[in-house]
Amino acid sequence: MEKTLFEKIAEHEIPADIVYEDELCVAFRDISPAAPQHVLLVPRKPIPDIAAAQQEDAELLAHLMLKVGEIARMLGIAEGGFRTVLNTGALAGQTVPHLHIHILGGRSLQWPPG
Ligand code: AMP
């Protein structure tokens, strides 16, 4: 099956500004940042979106959740506050069919989002 864009980034086939990686996940700066700090955290496993995650992915998802805080601290946005977003499907504007957690911070973020 054709690799997703984020698999290609995770495997260093396509360049990206990687800020963190380990055996399970990769985090890199969004190419079109929506905030002063905007990082995408993706599992190496190409799960299409959070709704497609299975029980067997539980440990991987827990790993990602723990990395969110670690990466936010590394980016210097944990103390002031930041947002995590998982867009799922067309109505939410998901454009890359590979689960990714947006980590956004460095400015005041409005609620509700658009
Ligand atoms: P979503 O709309 O939730 O699917 O988010 C996809 C995100 O991927 C968008 O914020 C894009 O700006 C970002 N993106 C697309 N291509 C790249 C790339 N080559 N490197 C980094 N970020 C990208």
Side-chain angles (χ1 to χ4, degrees):
M1 216 161 62
E2 168 95 24
K3 285 183 195 171
T4 68
L5 170 64
F6 291 166
E7 267 181 289
K8 290 178 185 167
I9 287 177
E11 291 170 18
H12 298 214
E13 287 174 18
I14 289 180
D17 187 355
I18 292 176
V19 298
Y20 175 82
E21 64 183 316
D22 63 25
E23 72 284 7
L24 294 177
C25 63
V26 181
F28 51 92
R29 293 194 182 275
D30 195 295
I31 204 165
S32 179
Q37 298 289 349
H38 186 174
V39 162
L40 301 172
L41 173 59
V42 312
R44 291 187 186 278
K45 181 178 177 182
I47 301 168
D49 59 50
I50 193 65
Q54 302 292 315
Q55 187 58 42
E56 68 188 30
D57 300 314
E59 265 186 46
L60 172 58
L61 296 177
H63 182 79
L64 293 172
M65 287 298 109
L66 290 170
K67 291 300 160 188
V68 165
E70 200 176 297
I71 291 165
R73 283 191 289 279
M74 198 175 78
L75 297 173
I77 57 174
E79 206 170 308
F82 65 96
R83 182 168 294 160
T84 50
V85 174
L86 285 116
N87 290 322
T88 305
L91 283 180
Q94 183 180 4
T95 56
V96 181
H98 183 139
L99 193 156
H100 48 284
I101 303 173
H102 293 259
I103 302 171
L104 298 137
R107 68 169 169 83
S108 177
L109 299 162
Q110 305 308 304
W111 190 263

